[in-house]
Amino acid sequence: MPFNCHNDYKMKFSLDDEFPDLSQHNNHMAKVLTKEIYGKLRSKSTPSGFTLDDVIQTGVDNPGHPFIMTVGCVAGDEESYEVFKDLLDPVISDRHGGYKPTDKHKTDLNFENLKGGDDLDPNYVLSSRVRTGRSIKGFTLPPHNSRGERRGIEKLSIEALASLEGEFKGKYYPLEGMSDAEQEQLIADHFLFDKPVSPLLTCAGMARDWPDGRGIWHNDNKTFLVWVNEEDHLRVISMQKGGNMKEVFRRFCVGLQKIEEIFKKHNHGFMWNEHLGYILTCPSNLGTGLRGGVHVKLPKLSTHPKFEEILTRLRLQKRGTGGVDTASVGGVFDISNADRLGSSEVEQVQLVVDGVKLMVEMEKKLEKGESIDGMIPAQK
Amino acid sequence: MASSFSRVLSSKRNIGILSLVGGSVTAGFLLHREHVSAGAAVRRRYPASAEYPDLRKHNNCMASHLTPAIYSKLCDKATPNGYMLDQAIQTGVDNPGHPFIKTVGMVAGDEESYEVFADLLDPVIKERHNGYDPTTMKHPTDLDSSKIQSGHFDERYVLSSRVRTGRSIRGLSLPPACTRAERREVERVVVDALAGLKGDLSGRYYSLTQMTEKEQQQLIDDHFLFDKPVSPLLTCAGMARDWPDARGIWHNNEKTFLIWINEEDHTRVISMERGGNMRRVFERFCRGLKEVERLIQERGWEFMWNERLGYILTCPSNLGTGLRAGVHVKLPLLSKDARFSKILDNLRLQKRGTGGVDTAAVGGVFDISNLDRLGHSEVQLVQTVIDGVNYLIECEKRLERGQDIKVPPPLKQFK
């Protein structure tokens, strides 16, 4: 439950007096939110009490980056996407390449539909990873949930994950009360997540009550990992060293579907609808919520003048090896799909597999001093 | 003359005051019941025991006093504006505390918070304010600076003198809870009143949103500019929302009287000058405060105050006088003496570095100020600082001459 006082009290003040000053702002919310839309939505709240000001607080508090366009709004529950559609539909359209309110999103977690992906050159591709998020129906989302709800989500997640077997057998480590030894091991494995420090998240209320109800589950093989109650109810991650994205994706799909079955049995399936796909806290993660990527050595290609254009045409994005908002080190980049909504999981991972394969070939060409002009792809 | 805004608010203010005077807040709460949507009720699917925060690692006043029973009793209550317990304690849940420093761990969202959540706030106040019992005691307010004795320090030791306090505008929610409209109204009310100050108090307002770079640099050079709060104690309480909307700084032309608007409180009022003339600093402080109060009253507003808690501010630690009177003073020898802390304690003083709270001293120069806020009047507290700092300077001089010093007996509490 965030800070904005009860909505009915706020309605006593005029629209002009309540409308936020967005004149310095550069985020999707600020570009879309007119006084008219604010006026129309300010009296509304979702059944759980999430209001417009709750949705936009993070975007009001974080005017944005001159180069990077942040989303500037969050959902507090599944119903937010309905109740505040006058704001969220245009934000979704801007963020997801013109996605319309009438469009339908395709979900495809059938790993067998992926072609190739098992032969990325491990001399270049150091590691492969696929992540997504899932929200559990019947609970409100991290910006809004109470301690009771968050603990309920944790309890349900622990039960569900404890019933996994075979390659998915594993253990849960609650953040609260973790031993020093466990903590060090999780850090060494690059598994441990920290209390959010980014004001994008803290201003949205997602770090409240930390570390209550938060934890990490992973399988014994350390190739399948679930974060509980960080930025979403669940973040599900499949990863391994090397370039076998096909295997990573197989494990991802199989594991996800097993988990989903268990939650459904408890009458708490995942939030999903045919327009927005999987419902997550940040509108940028709607659809598949999937980020499939590799750490890949591209020292020559990354300094090529056409690097950015190649990425854009391949529908890929680059990040540093520390993740979002980090710089690359030693020519190693995190390359992943740019899209989330409007294409399926298989399609997005296919783009990563095909695109990375092409870029590694380009890198090899540049190593030999040859031109890559003939290899520049068309816009996908 | 009164805008529609103030008409709406005056009815709300009366209800707020009614609920205070009426002894039971349920009256005020019920009057608004139809306005409090089902939002809160729909959400609580868990019993209080499932919502009770985990405070086992916590070391703040809220955590010391929030029992499951009190939580259960208060968790579904709301002030007339809709402020609830979970919001009031959020900062204390999110910030377990410091092993050495005990923080308060909760805030008020509005004046009525101190009534609605009294079962928790009263023991917190009692602990923080050295046994002051808000259920039985009355707080004395005294802004008559003519009562001060002495008060001009030896300027070979005292580099600067300063007195600050806060004031809240009755009828508007406090920084953790205020809406943008309320915050803007605080700004309007205060800036409008300050425009009426004259003589040595006349000055001007610098809004944070409209400040030019040149103005900003000047305010930084004058050490006047305040920044967006970064301390999680404040941000977790929601006080930095919508920054820098409706925040600003007003100061007089002489740069000796300064008001912060909408930082951690509605207003922070500061009187200061270089040198050791604490007497004049306090005289200007009292005069300025009284004048500002007169000007807002002319416009139909008043400060939040009651006789059990004095001036109502966001943090329970600032109740009563909200006053911190202090000096920057050179005590290189005394500060190295093992008895320094005990001397300060007995004089009811605290030390800080010259950067303010949570900073270290530089070059033997310390910020020395009163420890207490509630249960003693402004005049009493400033006199305590004057007498105490004079004693510290005497100690320093004695140590310079190779003479020994004595630890003074502890000051009596609550005369």
Side-chain angles (χ1 to χ4, degrees):
Chain A
M1 200 190 314
F3 311 107
N4 294 293
C5 251
H6 208 278
N7 221 37
D8 290 349
Y9 170 65
K10 211 180 286 185
M11 290 308 297
K12 292 180 178 167
F13 305 115
S14 77
L15 168 60
D16 279 333
D17 279 336
E18 286 293 351
F19 186 66
D21 178 353
L22 301 172
S23 52
Q24 305 299 311
H25 289 59
N26 184 47
N27 57 54
H28 287 297
M29 178 280 292
K31 294 278 173 256
V32 167
L33 185 66
T34 59
K35 222 181 247 192
E36 287 64 43
I37 294 178
Y38 188 83
K40 186 175 177 196
L41 296 179
R42 63 185 289 237
S43 61
K44 302 199 190 309
S45 65
T46 66
S48 76
F50 205 64
T51 65
L52 179 66
D53 278 341
D54 296 332
V55 172
I56 67 173
Q57 191 67 58
T58 180
V60 175
D61 288 347
N62 298 291
H65 207 270
F67 314 140
I68 301 165
M69 191 78 160
T70 48
V71 176
C73 54
V74 294
D77 49 23
E78 192 165 9
E79 295 82 356
S80 296
Y81 287 103
E82 263 309 300
V83 174
F84 303 113
K85 55 193 296 87
D86 289 322
L87 169 66
L88 291 173
D89 279 349
V91 166
I92 287 167
S93 175
D94 284 350
R95 178 61 176 213
H96 294 282
Y99 196 76
K100 297 190 293 298
T102 49
D103 284 336
K104 302 253 183 290
H105 171 80
K106 206 183 347 166
T107 291
D108 181 0
L109 282 161
N110 190 343
F111 64 91
E112 281 162 355
N113 291 338
L114 183 70
K115 302 195 210 340
D118 53 355
D119 60 351
L120 297 174
D121 189 339
N123 292 316
Y124 293 84
V125 178
L126 306 176
S127 61
S128 308
R129 179 185 189 266
V130 180
R131 70 85 159 153
T132 188
R134 291 290 186 264
S135 306
I136 303 170
K137 253 182 121 57
F139 293 92
T140 62
L141 298 171
H144 193 36
N145 56 22
S146 69
R147 282 179 293 272
E149 287 190 279
R150 202 184 298 112
R151 292 162 179 171
I153 292 160
E154 186 190 31
K155 185 156 176 284
L156 204 51
S157 302
I158 292 172
E159 270 178 53
L161 296 165
S163 63
L164 293 174
E165 288 163 348
E167 61 172 324
F168 295 109
K169 186 162 171 311
K171 184 178 165 185
Y172 182 69
Y173 301 84
L175 252 55
E176 179 75 59
M178 189 177 282
S179 72
D180 281 348
E182 286 169 341
Q183 190 173 301
E184 275 165 34
Q185 187 60 59
L186 287 165
I187 292 172
D189 292 328
H190 304 289
F191 282 175
L192 189 65
F193 63 89
D194 228 337
K195 179 171 179 174
V197 291
S198 165
L200 299 176
L201 300 184
T202 55
C203 293
M206 298 195 224
R208 286 171 303 126
D209 313 312
W210 202 276
D212 196 319
R214 275 83 168 191
I216 290 164
W217 178 97
H218 69 77
N219 67 351
D220 295 337
N221 298 338
K222 296 188 180 177
T223 53
F224 193 72
L225 167 67
V226 178
W227 290 352
V228 178
N229 285 320
E230 194 235 13
E231 187 183 331
D232 280 294
H233 287 169
L234 305 173
R235 283 290 178 93
V236 179
I237 301 151
S238 169
M239 58 204 263
Q240 66 192 56
K241 292 226 178 284
N244 195 345
M245 182 59 97
K246 192 182 187 69
E247 172 61 14
V248 168
F249 189 54
R250 180 205 65 80
R251 189 169 50 243
F252 175 81
C253 294
V254 172
L256 258 181
Q257 281 164 330
K258 285 193 190 301
I259 294 172
E260 181 158 22
E261 271 163 43
I262 301 169
F263 275 100
K264 274 196 188 134
K265 274 211 205 92
H266 285 87
N267 289 318
H268 281 287
F270 295 147
M271 289 183 199
W272 180 94
N273 68 50
E274 61 174 7
H275 165 52
L276 295 176
Y278 288 101
I279 303 293
L280 293 176
T281 302
C282 182
S284 69
N285 282 321
L286 290 166
T288 61
L290 186 143
R291 194 170 91 81
V294 298
H295 282 187
V296 56
K297 284 197 271 206
L298 299 171
K300 290 198 157 25
L301 182 59
S302 58
T303 51
H304 192 283
K306 290 219 162 83
F307 185 46
E308 299 286 341
E309 193 187 334
I310 290 166
L311 287 171
T312 305
R313 289 184 180 206
L314 292 174
R315 309 200 66 79
L316 298 176
Q317 65 172 198
K318 75 179 195 298
R319 298 181 181 190
T321 48
V324 68
D325 292 334
T326 66
S328 88
V329 176
V332 181
F333 283 83
D334 176 318
I335 302 291
S336 63
N337 55 297
D339 303 317
R340 305 270 186 273
L341 180 62
S343 53
S344 74
E345 289 80 355
V346 167
E347 284 167 348
Q348 289 168 8
V349 175
Q350 192 69 63
L351 283 170
V352 175
V353 160
D354 296 345
V356 170
K357 190 159 187 196
L358 178 64
M359 289 197 296
V360 168
E361 280 168 27
M362 286 177 168
E363 181 72 19
K364 289 175 175 169
K365 267 256 167 29
L366 290 171
E367 278 171 18
K368 289 193 276 205
E370 292 168 18
S371 155
I372 56 167
D373 289 343
M375 296 170 79
I376 310 284
Q379 178 67 56
K380 295 221 172 285
Chain B
M1 181 82 165
S3 68
S4 59
F5 190 104
S6 66
R7 274 199 293 277
V8 160
L9 282 176
S10 63
S11 63
K12 185 242 156 267
R13 263 182 286 149
N14 287 336
I15 288 166
I17 292 163
L18 190 76
S19 66
L20 286 171
V21 165
S24 149
V25 190
T26 50
F29 180 62
L30 284 166
L31 278 167
H32 283 261
R33 206 167 180 95
E34 63 275 19
H35 297 294
V36 178
S37 97
V42 167
R43 282 210 60 216
R44 194 158 301 285
R45 307 161 50 207
Y46 295 86
S49 56
E51 295 287 359
Y52 181 70
D54 182 349
L55 300 171
R56 289 171 295 171
K57 296 217 174 76
H58 288 59
N59 183 43
N60 56 55
C61 295
M62 178 279 292
S64 296
H65 296 283
L66 184 64
T67 62
I70 293 180
Y71 183 79
S72 180
K73 184 175 178 196
L74 298 181
C75 66
D76 283 327
K77 297 210 189 312
T79 66
N81 298 358
Y83 195 68
M84 300 186 74
L85 182 69
D86 278 339
Q87 294 167 283
I89 65 172
Q90 191 68 60
T91 180
V93 176
D94 289 346
N95 297 292
H98 207 270
F100 313 141
I101 301 165
K102 198 161 185 185
T103 47
V104 176
M106 66 183 297
V107 293
D110 48 27
E111 190 166 7
E112 294 81 356
S113 296
Y114 286 103
E115 297 297 321
V116 175
F117 308 119
D119 285 323
L120 175 60
L121 276 162
D122 285 348
V124 164
I125 289 166
K126 191 168 181 191
E127 179 184 343
R128 178 61 179 215
H129 295 280
N130 292 292
Y132 181 86
D133 187 346
T135 59
T136 56
M137 295 177 173
K138 294 210 196 324
H139 170 79
T141 292
D142 185 357
L143 285 160
D144 180 358
S145 60
S146 70
K147 293 181 184 157
I148 293 293
Q149 309 275 328
S150 157
H152 198 147
F153 300 117
D154 186 335
E155 291 185 354
R156 291 171 297 173
Y157 297 86
V158 173
L159 306 177
S160 61
S161 309
R162 181 184 189 265
V163 180
R164 71 86 161 149
T165 188
R167 290 288 186 265
S168 309
I169 309 295
R170 175 163 279 159
L172 296 168
S173 307
L174 296 170
C178 64
T179 75
R180 277 182 293 275
E182 290 185 288
R183 199 185 295 112
R184 291 165 180 174
E185 186 67 4
V186 168
E187 187 188 36
R188 270 194 293 266
V189 168
V190 176
V191 170
D192 189 45
L194 294 172
L197 289 174
K198 298 193 175 32
D200 69 319
L201 294 178
S202 77
R204 69 161 273 208
Y205 181 63
Y206 302 84
S207 138
L208 250 56
T209 53
Q210 280 154 32
M211 195 176 283
T212 66
E213 278 197 31
K214 190 154 167 277
E215 287 168 343
Q216 187 176 302
Q217 194 53 54
Q218 187 59 57
L219 287 164
I220 291 173
D221 294 339
D222 291 328
H223 304 289
F224 281 175
L225 189 63
F226 64 86
D227 230 337
K228 180 171 178 172
V230 290
S231 165
L233 299 177
L234 300 184
T235 56
C236 292
M239 298 194 224
R241 286 171 303 127
D242 313 313
W243 201 274
D245 195 320
R247 272 81 169 193
I249 291 164
W250 181 98
H251 70 77
N252 67 348
N253 299 327
E254 299 182 6
K255 299 187 179 178
T256 54
F257 192 66
L258 164 70
I259 296 176
W260 291 353
I261 293 177
N262 286 319
E263 193 236 12
E264 188 184 329
D265 278 295
H266 283 174
T267 67
R268 284 289 179 95
V269 180
I270 302 152
S271 170
M272 60 205 263
E273 58 184 72
R274 291 213 174 283
N277 199 341
M278 178 61 92
R279 191 199 180 78
R280 183 166 63 202
V281 168
F282 186 55
E283 182 277 325
R284 185 171 51 244
F285 176 83
C286 294
R287 184 165 46 90
L289 267 177
K290 286 189 204 140
E291 189 53 17
V292 173
E293 183 161 27
R294 187 187 67 77
L295 288 162
I296 65 163
Q297 279 169 345
E298 258 176 19
R299 291 155 177 78
W301 298 89
E302 55 186 5
F303 292 142
M304 289 184 197
W305 180 94
N306 68 52
E307 59 175 8
R308 114 192 144 88
L309 296 175
Y311 288 101
I312 303 295
L313 293 176
T314 303
C315 182
S317 70
N318 283 320
L319 290 166
T321 60
L323 184 140
R324 194 172 91 83
V327 297
H328 283 187
V329 56
K330 285 196 268 207
L331 302 169
L333 297 174
L334 179 59
S335 58
K336 295 205 191 72
D337 191 293
R339 294 163 286 187
F340 186 41
S341 287
K342 185 78 179 135
I343 292 171
L344 288 173
D345 259 359
N346 286 1
L347 292 173
R348 303 298 306 159
L349 297 176
Q350 66 172 194
K351 72 178 197 295
R352 298 180 181 190
T354 47
V357 68
D358 292 336
T359 66
V362 177
V365 180
F366 285 81
D367 175 318
I368 303 290
S369 63
N370 52 296
L371 264 174
D372 302 313
R373 305 267 185 275
L374 175 64
H376 312 267
S377 74
E378 289 83 353
V379 165
Q380 287 166 344
L381 291 176
V382 172
Q383 194 64 59
T384 299
V385 172
I386 289 169
D387 298 343
V389 169
N390 278 333
Y391 190 89
L392 296 175
I393 293 171
E394 267 315 298
C395 287
E396 184 72 18
K397 286 176 175 169
R398 290 179 71 87
L399 289 171
E400 280 170 15
R401 298 191 291 260
Q403 292 171 315
D404 196 20
I405 57 172
K406 276 220 298 255
V407 174
L411 286 180
K412 257 199 325 190
Q413 286 294 287
F414 301 131
K415 304 178 194 135

